[in-house]
Amino acid sequence: MSALRILVPIKRVIDYAVKPRVNKTQTGVETAGVKHSMNPFDELSIEESVRIREKKSAPGGVEDICVISAGPTKAQDVLRTAMAMGADRAIHVEVKEGDDLEPLSVAKLLKAAAEQHKSNLVILGKQSIDDDANQTGQMLAGLLGWPQATQASKVEFGEGDSVTVTREVDGGAETLRAKLPLIITTDLRLNEPRYASLPNIMKAKKKPMEKKTLADFGITAERRLKVLGVTEPPARQGGGKVDDVDGMVAKLKELGAI
Amino acid sequence: MATSGFSETQLTVRHAVMQTCSRFPNTYWQEHDQNEQDPADFHAAMAKDGWLGIALPEPLGGSGLGISEATMMMQTIAESGAGMAGAQSIHANWRVCFGVTEPNAGLDTLRLSTTAAKQQDGSYLVSGQKIWITCAQVAAKMILLARTTPLDQVRKPSEGLSLLCIDLDRSRPGLEMRRIKKMGGRAVDANEVFFDKYVVPAGSDALIGEEGQGFKLILHGMNAERCLLAGEALGLGYAALARAAEYARDRVVFQRPIGMNQGVAHPLADAYMRLEAAKFATYHAARLYDASRTDASIRLDEVGVACNSAKYLAAEAAFAACERAVLAHGGMGYALEFDVERYFRECLVPRIAPVSREMILNYVGEKILGLPRSY
């Protein structure tokens, strides 16, 4: 089996525990002064890559784990975190704050990166928790012409470059088998990401981080979509009270629910 | 807490320690405090992620960071709700405890009376009493400061003391310990330890450094310890203040949040400023301590004054914050589940230890103001 060269795209997003607020101009959510951290699904991708290496589950071994992130300078924080968790090196593609990339541009960037770095496995989060697009992995597979296994809950390696991926679907589990090169996107039950230990945080400072621009990958950040407006969901209305079961049945009928 | 002015490494430490501590919420510390139960799994989690070796040189398996980063670590631990109990479980643990303080010497360390008498065969016989020994119940070893040359046979009282790393073998004769019931930090045991001709076998390589020079080694660590304690006090103060502010925003009496009353808001705002000021003093001292290791132009007493001042200011600021946090909660401040009573009980520790407020005032009066010594 080929030695794995894993590319792990990651994104810096508003921390999952923060309650996002719509900005004053109603064009997006407020990001200034808000705590950011790594997209939780991307933590799963890194953890899985590191486990494949540690558990020696791939017969050909893991030659390289490279993390890549496109974003403002602050994106380097999540790249350092990824290297503290066990990635070997990082690529930071500088994109100005506010110049967000659409999933297709990200997929084009990742295609170029995967080709440049001779990756044969790309593990992505199934979606980022900011815009929840859930498109990048699929588009990347399309652009590269590679097979894809999305929302993985288990990844196993067999002989002759074959990879078996279990994914949770409605009512059960689906098992897919494909050959490298391959795109995998991660789902919550795949693993439980580790906390970086202090010695590894210190080592991560010395790991290489390449600084690139979109032009280095021959990409321009063209926009195909226009955000017309972002608004808060309407405030919830209080419920009504019924006296007894008969009252509830009558109410449900009145509302046309039964 | 405002985080401007901290180094990237300090902020990384803060963030990572917060993550580990987030698995040990206030309820964990409430229970361990009530049941006087050692926070062994917290300690194990911190050890697993490499935090115990934060200031240990890299060749020895540590991370080689300074007291500036270690202080941030201790502050973050205390601030997470772990308080002084959490911090103390890092100072001492199942590996090692520290035996310096004695009941009949107190702050007059040079008059400690525990002796380690060297025998013909190279072993030591230890006799005497130590007190306030954190984690003696669970530790495998003790770093012991004891007199190896009697006071009347040395040129200066600071000589003749030696530092020994000894096994705490509770099955051997001559070693007894008794847990002290105490006000705060009940999760972590503090003890009286009695030695009566307890044998430290020859060949156990117990002596640290040179015989008779133990006090110098202790002095070396004292300024660093002041910084760490200052950080812990700050953490406790910020934790209490955050709880008080949260409560004052949410608690509605007379149809408005109590925090709208200036009588509630102003003491908390004042406490915040005191904590911030103490924070600058603390991290200034820690930076100075770290810099003094490579910069010979920094005088030792300059470091000493900075570290002692930091401990003093941080302890007082923490006390103000914790007391006001209890008062801002009204009756609920007295209830265990709101945590501020626990913080309040614990915030007396940094005021008292490792050196009293009065001795710091004496020190500054003498070293900075040139006033004659009173004791």
Side-chain angles (χ1 to χ4, degrees), chain A residues 40-55:
Chain A
F41 290 105
D42 302 345
E43 290 183 348
L44 297 161
S45 316
I46 298 160
E47 180 66 34
E48 193 62 19
S49 311
V50 176
R51 285 191 193 185
I52 293 168
R53 170 179 278 161
E54 286 173 352
K55 294 186 172 166

Side-chain angles (χ1 to χ4, degrees), chain A residues 195 197-199 201-202 205, chain B residues 12 19 23 49 51 63 65:
Chain A
Y195 294 100
S197 72
L198 178 60
I201 291 171
M202 298 313 292
K205 287 178 187 286
Chain B
T12 308
Q19 277 194 324
R23 283 180 279 164
D49 289 347
W51 292 106
S63 292
L65 294 176

Side-chain angles (χ1 to χ4, degrees), chain B residues 198-281:
Chain B
Y198 178 71
V199 181
V200 177
S204 63
D205 206 15
L207 184 67
I208 300 173
E210 281 176 54
E211 191 166 291
Q213 300 296 315
F215 191 65
K216 276 190 192 161
L217 300 177
I218 292 285
L219 274 185
H220 176 76
M222 272 185 177
N223 284 330
E225 189 189 23
R226 306 272 191 273
C227 292
L228 300 182
L229 255 291
E232 292 160 24
L234 290 174
L236 200 60
Y238 282 114
L241 190 60
R243 294 296 295 266
E246 185 191 345
Y247 189 79
R249 279 193 301 269
D250 294 347
R251 168 73 171 161
V252 174
V253 180
F254 293 113
Q255 282 116 43
R256 59 196 205 147
I258 59 168
M260 200 181 259
N261 301 315
Q262 294 178 346
V264 174
H266 286 182
L268 299 181
D270 176 75
Y272 175 75
M273 292 188 280
R274 291 184 194 211
L275 284 169
E276 286 288 298
K279 176 191 81 177
F280 288 117

